[in-house]
Amino acid sequence: MQLSVEQKEAVEYIGSPSLVVAGAGSGKTRTLTAKISHLISSGYDPERILAITFTNKAADEMKSRLVRMTKISSERFPWVRTFHSACFKILKKHCSLLGYNTPLQIYAGYQQQKTIKDIIVGKLNFDKKYVQPVLAQISSAKNSGNPFEYLDQKLHSFRIRLLDVFNLYEKELKSNNAVDFDNILILTRNLLRDHKDVRKRYQKLFQFILVDEYQDTNNLQEDLTGLLLRNGNLFCVGDDWQAIYSFRGSNMDHFLSFPEKYKEARVFKLEQNYRSADEIVRTANDLIGYNDYKMEKRCFSDKRGGLVEIYDFFDEKKEAYWVAGKIKALCEMDLVYSKMAVLYRTKFCSLSFEQAFRALGIPYRMLGGKGFFERKEVMDINCYLTAAVFEKDDASFERIVNIPKRGIGPAAVNKIAQIKTGKMSLQDAARKALSEKILASGIYNSLNQVIGLLDRIKGMKPDDAIREVLAAVNYMDYIKEYSKAGSMDYTSREENIEQLVYSASQKDTIVEYLEEAALIKEDKEDEKDKKSGVILSTIHASKGLEYRAVFVVACEEQLFPHWRSMDSEMGLYEERRLMYVAMTRAEHFLFLTHANYRKGKYNKKSRFLDEINDSL
């Protein structure tokens, strides 16, 4: 693998903690994988290298590159993982120390929402509108590293006392031997912090720790890195100019204070952009220059001939039709649709572009839709499997007991729920109702079939279990009826189920399969989804991607920078970093647009356009 002088220097240096400040398009992933390869050739054991990435897709890609570079099988890289995946591997092994048993269930979003709703609506008599905001606050509290302190500060922010909901929620999780996505990190942190022998075991195991996208780590992830580290063998890579996730709890201070925290730290800078033309790179540099709070670097590119242009329009319709026309013109210059993207700050901005593209026959696809495991048909099938192996999971059992419809409606479920005593689950109550024959014959027969199916599939291989469910409940007939008539909806759902069966066939047990499904949080695009078309995407969802031509649209005050971020200097800095991310997605053509009127309201041009215009 060919490395630049700067990349080579970072890769070959071993001796103290290292931070690689990698500009956009500077070969960050190449440097990271080359580092691991260099460590292995220097005598480090691949099975004792912890390499942390932020998405499953990035972890898979890194493993593939390492297999090609080192000719070592992927099984010998067991710790190239996301934070959550690595922590769950540790947590599973030692959860008995925290009062849990194996198998440990991971609650996906559906189960979390159902549990919080039962607490807020059922136990505390508040409106269900609080479910999502409360869930978000509990997630932020856990990721802060100190949930009780965080929730104490929010004491008067909500009508609901958040700490009460938090305590009831955690109690419910524990009694069901379950963890949610954020618990995986906080419980592993507590395990390593409070159990010296476990901490020493993993410090001894990991000869070297590497962290990708280091600017996006939160306090909890920083704690975990510190607890696992020994001998200063740490290599972190990232770009503070692309830190855009503070709303998820990421804390850029860890990145900026790295040289102070690790006294003998070495900082390497990768400043050459291999993606974008120099005209785009220099303009983006000038924009980010308006931010004070950052590490200094001067990014450059050897590519020339890039184009940066700003356009103003009367309203969003004129803006959208101009963009559509420009895309058509670029197509005539042999640019393919899939190499062009329209990026916006917030999702609602896509509508006028969708309308214009449909009117002019331009194919497009949206990034950032529902993740594979969040689609209805996938959740339905997975809830059958979950209910079979995790009998305490009321959310999954309640979902499938009447899908497809079999006469066990809300009134019947309510009647079953009234049988519950003590720590009895809804499924336990259903089994009791069957044994005591206290249900009407129609409901009894239907429920008996459901319980019989769950018992049959419990010990099966996951793909066989899915096939058994599909056949036993005539699921394909149900989903055909459920799908929109005369659309591609059914075909799409059918393909999703085929993909699901294949995905399940890669695992030996239902528990292993469900663990993997629960640990995949980001959208995992299937190859079949990658039809050729212009990309429509929020800027957040486009990070890490690249296109020949990029249109950054709806650049207006209150929208971009967004009104929610304009009450603090740090908020404005992050919005400017978001614009920097959008600009540096472009390889050759960059167009920035604004409309005087959007949704019928007058909008002032974004200050970022003025800053960019000064640079031009």
Side-chain angles (χ1 to χ4, degrees):
M1 180 189 278
Q2 278 295 105
L3 296 172
S4 69
V5 173
E6 294 77 15
Q7 288 169 341
K8 197 164 184 282
E9 195 181 349
V11 163
E12 292 180 356
Y13 175 77
I14 297 173
S16 64
S18 306
L19 178 68
V20 178
V21 184
S26 64
K28 171 175 70 68
T29 309
R30 166 183 290 215
T31 305
L32 198 55
T33 46
K35 179 75 177 185
I36 298 171
S37 178
H38 177 72
L39 289 172
I40 293 165
S41 64
S42 303
Y44 287 84
D45 182 348
E47 293 174 23
R48 295 177 64 191
I49 294 172
L50 175 64
I52 293 294
T53 69
F54 269 76
T55 66
N56 294 280
K57 191 177 174 185
D60 290 345
E61 188 183 320
M62 191 182 291
K63 266 191 189 176
S64 298
R65 287 193 187 201
L66 285 167
V67 169
R68 286 198 303 272
M69 288 167 71
T70 62
K71 304 293 186 279
I72 294 171
S73 96
S74 63
E75 283 73 37
R76 295 205 53 209
F77 296 101
W79 292 99
V80 176
R81 290 173 175 262
T82 62
F83 261 114
H84 289 86
S85 175
C87 286
F88 192 66
K89 194 171 160 73
I90 294 170
L91 186 61
K92 267 196 307 186
K93 200 169 186 68
H94 308 282
C95 65
S96 61
L97 293 170
L98 301 176
Y100 293 87
N101 310 311
T102 52
L104 195 58
Q105 185 182 359
I106 305 170
Y107 269 20
Y110 175 75
Q111 287 116 322
Q112 287 177 262
Q113 286 169 27
K114 177 78 172 64
T115 308
I116 291 284
K117 185 182 173 185
D118 288 348
I119 292 166
I120 287 176
V121 180
K123 292 183 180 171
L124 302 177
N125 293 317
F126 279 95
D127 194 285
K128 66 179 182 184
K129 71 180 182 185
Y130 290 105
V131 171
Q132 278 307 123
V134 166
L135 202 48
Q137 287 296 328
I138 288 174
S139 177
S140 297
K142 289 178 183 178
N143 283 301
S144 74
N146 193 334
F148 295 106
E149 185 182 290
Y150 179 96
L151 293 171
D152 206 42
Q153 289 168 358
K154 299 277 179 182
L155 202 57
H156 306 293
S157 306
F158 276 71
R159 278 187 65 206
I160 299 177
R161 202 174 127 79
L162 289 171
L163 205 53
D164 291 345
V165 184
F166 177 81
N167 288 329
L168 286 167
Y169 175 61
E170 290 302 298
K171 189 179 174 186
E172 184 70 16
L173 283 173
K174 187 80 183 277
S175 73
N176 289 347
N177 199 53
V179 295
D180 67 14
F181 206 61
D182 301 311
N183 275 127
I184 293 171
L185 297 190
I186 202 160
L187 291 175
T188 307
R189 191 277 308 268
N190 296 350
L191 180 72
L192 294 167
R193 182 193 64 196
D194 303 338
H195 295 270
K196 189 179 177 182
D197 53 335
V198 179
R199 183 169 71 249
K200 293 284 183 196
R201 172 180 176 158
Y202 287 97
Q203 285 178 348
K204 192 176 177 184
L205 172 66
F206 298 129
Q207 295 176 323
F208 220 100
I209 297 176
L210 304 96
V211 184
D212 193 9
E213 302 289 5
Y214 185 61
Q215 77 282 352
D216 293 333
T217 51
N218 61 34
N219 296 348
L220 197 46
Q221 290 159 342
E222 181 72 357
D223 285 353
L224 283 158
T225 305
L227 286 164
L228 293 168
L229 183 65
R230 66 160 186 164
N231 302 335
N233 285 348
L234 179 65
F235 185 82
C236 298
V237 183
D239 183 8
D240 57 306
W241 293 9
Q242 295 185 73
I244 57 172
Y245 291 116
S246 68
F247 68 94
R248 287 186 193 165
S250 68
N251 184 351
M252 198 173 77
D253 291 348
H254 304 312
F255 189 97
L256 296 178
S257 63
F258 191 93
E260 285 77 55
K261 182 172 182 177
Y262 300 103
K263 295 300 177 197
E264 295 170 9
R266 282 282 304 271
V267 176
F268 300 90
K269 293 183 182 180
L270 305 183
E271 295 170 308
Q272 183 169 357
N273 186 320
Y274 298 97
R275 175 194 303 145
S276 307
D278 196 52
E279 292 81 358
I280 293 169
V281 174
R282 282 188 288 119
T283 309
N285 282 349
D286 290 348
L287 173 80
I288 209 74
Y290 285 88
N291 278 7
D292 293 330
Y293 190 62
K294 64 183 187 301
M295 277 202 186
E296 291 302 330
K297 58 181 180 291
R298 195 71 192 166
C299 296
F300 68 94
S301 172
D302 287 342
K303 296 179 180 178
R304 296 286 183 274
L307 186 69
V308 184
E309 292 180 345
I310 297 173
Y311 290 90
D312 300 336
F313 298 95
F314 175 72
D315 61 15
E316 71 262 48
K317 189 174 180 183
K318 292 258 191 311
E319 176 189 45
Y321 273 86
W322 179 85
V323 169
K326 193 71 180 174
I327 284 169
K328 287 268 192 191
L330 289 169
C331 267
E332 288 167 14
M333 296 166 58
D334 290 335
L335 214 61
V336 295
Y337 285 129
S338 59
K339 283 291 181 184
M340 293 185 262
V342 177
L343 308 181
Y344 34 80
R345 173 65 178 82
T346 40
K347 283 181 180 175
F348 83 82
C349 297
S350 72
L351 183 58
S352 55
F353 296 94
E354 291 181 68
Q355 290 166 337
F357 289 0
R358 281 201 295 267
L360 295 180
I362 296 172
Y364 67 89
R365 60 189 178 95
M366 312 282 291
L367 276 197
K370 279 189 174 176
F372 181 78
F373 289 104
E374 294 170 331
R375 295 166 192 176
K376 176 194 159 47
E377 59 281 6
V378 174
M379 285 171 66
D380 286 350
I381 303 299
N382 279 353
C383 280
Y384 269 99
L385 270 60
T386 304
V389 293
F390 295 111
E391 292 184 17
K392 288 181 179 287
D393 186 344
D394 286 0
S396 292
F397 183 70
E398 191 174 329
R399 181 182 181 109
I400 57 99
V401 78
N402 206 35
I403 284 182
K405 282 192 168 49
R406 50 174 71 92
I408 312 174
V413 171
N414 207 24
K415 190 173 180 182
I416 295 166
Q418 285 169 7
I419 299 170
K420 286 170 71 171
T421 55
K423 292 188 174 182
M424 196 181 274
S425 70
L426 190 63
Q427 193 178 149
D428 292 336
R431 290 174 185 274
K432 189 168 190 241
L434 288 174
S435 67
E436 296 180 3
K437 295 187 166 58
I438 55 177
L439 298 167
S441 62
I443 294 173
Y444 176 91
N445 291 334
S446 294
L447 189 60
N448 201 30
Q449 285 171 3
V450 174
I451 295 294
L453 173 60
L454 297 181
D455 289 343
R456 274 202 315 281
I457 66 173
K458 183 183 282 191
M460 288 184 178
K461 286 196 67 185
D463 54 326
D464 292 336
I466 292 173
R467 288 190 196 94
E468 178 66 17
V469 171
L470 293 172
V473 305
N474 294 319
Y475 189 80
M476 300 315 294
D477 291 343
Y478 159 73
I479 208 72
K480 187 175 279 185
E481 203 174 302
Y482 179 90
S483 298
K484 303 180 191 87
S487 74
M488 289 293 290
D489 193 46
Y490 173 71
T491 305
S492 172
R493 293 181 192 278
E494 191 178 33
E495 287 170 347
N496 288 338
I497 291 169
E498 286 169 7
Q499 175 64 38
L500 186 69
V501 174
Y502 172 74
S503 179
S505 73
Q506 305 302 296
K507 297 292 174 186
D508 291 326
T509 69
I510 291 177
V511 169
E512 282 179 334
Y513 160 69
L514 291 172
E515 277 175 11
E516 182 177 77
L519 286 167
I520 293 175
K521 286 287 267 192
E522 77 274 5
D523 289 353
K524 201 167 184 181
E525 247 187 342
D526 304 320
E527 286 303 315
K528 67 182 174 64
D529 288 338
K530 292 190 174 181
K531 60 179 188 287
S532 179
V534 178
I535 301 299
L536 289 177
S537 173
T538 63
I539 300 165
H540 282 101
S542 74
K543 188 171 180 286
L545 303 174
E546 54 189 57
Y547 305 96
R548 286 281 289 155
V550 168
F551 298 82
V552 187
V553 301
C555 300
E556 293 121 35
E557 290 289 298
Q558 306 297 319
L559 199 52
F560 195 18
H562 196 274
W563 61 270
R564 277 199 186 132
S565 309
M566 290 169 70
D567 57 355
S568 73
E569 194 173 43
M570 287 302 172
L572 190 60
Y573 285 170
E574 179 147 334
E575 290 291 294
R576 193 175 279 114
R577 293 196 293 269
L578 196 56
M579 176 60 95
Y580 175 84
V581 166
M583 294 170 73
T584 53
R585 299 311 93 206
E587 294 174 6
H588 193 82
F589 300 100
L590 175 62
F591 304 102
L592 305 114
T593 66
H594 116 273
N596 290 310
Y597 290 89
R598 193 172 302 277
K599 296 199 295 186
K601 290 181 189 165
Y602 175 74
N603 296 291
K604 194 178 168 194
K605 185 197 297 186
S606 169
R607 69 191 71 194
F608 300 151
L609 292 189
D610 289 331
E611 292 165 3
I612 291 163
N613 202 40
D614 289 348
S615 169
L616 295 176

